[in-house]
Amino acid sequence: MQLTRVAEAKLPTQWGEFLMVGFEEISTQKDHVALVFGDITGETPVLTRIHSECLTGDALFSLRCDCGFQLESALDAIAKEGRGILLYHRQEGRGIGLINKIKAYALQDKGYDTVEANEALGFAPDQRNFSFCADMLTLLGVDKIRLLTNNPKKVRVLSEAGIKITERVPLQVGRNPKNSHYLDTKAAKLGHLLGRS
């Protein structure tokens, strides 16, 4: 287990009231959060979204990505389902951090795609560790989920960690002229399961 469960409190939102559960990485003290909606106990697979931190998309309304659109759509889907979990995974910029993400954006402004920009800065295309998310689910007492994702890597990592994924639920929202190249690159170079929406 790479994490400990350290805090929880109610979080009222426009979608309803969630339980916000804080987790801390044992080795680094870096924190992650789960938003839990409704009763997640029982045998029925829980609708779950792993959402990687994206300050620019989630909080600053950037159109360069689809992150903010996915965050809101996932919360809406969970609320409509009546139960579910959103894991807010604190690994900004596919794990390279906010400042390096801004540097990658500058390279993209010069014609690099998102993968080329990360590699030009000396990083792998995607440095995120999704095994933390399996630990968060285990600490929440959940081992069977329906995963809201377009990313097959999330499915593979969680499955290998013992989480049973009964369904991959696509989450294709937010395509626009500012992010279409970014989304096409995710499909072509990172294997994301994206169709044109």
Side-chain angles (χ1 to χ4, degrees):
M1 190 65 61
Q2 305 167 84
L3 301 169
T4 56
R5 181 172 174 166
V6 294
E8 61 182 61
K10 294 176 182 177
L11 184 70
T13 75
Q14 69 187 64
W15 296 278
E17 186 171 275
F18 288 79
L19 179 68
M20 180 170 58
V21 182
F23 300 87
E24 193 172 81
E25 292 179 28
I26 295 168
S27 61
T28 65
Q29 286 72 58
K30 188 173 182 179
D31 50 17
H32 305 276
V33 170
L35 298 182
V36 177
F37 193 86
D39 182 2
I40 59 170
T41 62
E43 288 301 308
T44 304
V46 180
L47 185 64
T48 301
R49 166 73 181 162
I50 296 172
H51 188 86
S52 295
E53 178 179 32
C54 178
L55 177 71
T56 50
D58 297 343
L60 301 178
F61 315 107
S62 171
L63 297 177
R64 295 183 82 125
C65 62
D66 56 344
C67 302
F69 300 101
Q70 287 187 324
L71 177 61
E72 291 195 14
S73 291
L75 291 170
D76 187 61
I78 287 167
K80 285 177 178 169
E81 181 95 354
R83 66 194 290 263
I85 302 168
L86 186 133
L87 303 178
Y88 198 81
H89 190 232
R90 302 284 310 281
Q91 297 193 66
E92 178 78 49
R94 291 201 198 106
I96 68 174
L98 180 59
I99 299 302
N100 284 318
K101 179 180 174 180
I102 296 169
K103 291 177 181 178
Y105 277 176
L107 290 173
Q108 290 169 42
D109 290 342
K110 295 177 180 176
Y112 290 66
D113 68 32
T114 182
V115 168
E116 292 165 347
N118 277 23
E119 291 175 337
L121 292 171
F123 299 107
D126 190 343
Q127 299 199 155
R128 292 173 293 178
N129 178 358
F130 295 117
S131 64
F132 290 128
C133 299
D135 287 349
M136 292 167 75
L137 290 169
T138 299
L139 288 167
L140 290 169
V142 171
D143 64 0
K144 191 184 301 179
I145 65 172
R146 294 167 51 234
L147 187 61
L148 272 164
T149 189
N150 305 318
N151 186 346
K153 181 179 177 183
K154 293 178 183 178
V155 175
R156 179 178 50 79
V157 170
L158 291 185
S159 297
E160 289 172 355
I163 303 297
K164 180 172 176 54
I165 299 171
T166 63
E167 181 185 6
R168 182 190 71 83
V169 181
L171 187 60
Q172 297 182 28
V173 293
R175 180 181 281 271
N176 66 75
K178 299 291 185 185
N179 70 15
S180 59
H181 181 60
Y182 162 81
L183 293 175
D184 292 343
T185 300
K186 285 206 301 184
K189 293 190 174 182
L190 298 173
H192 288 218
L193 303 171
L194 294 170
R196 294 196 173 264
S197 52

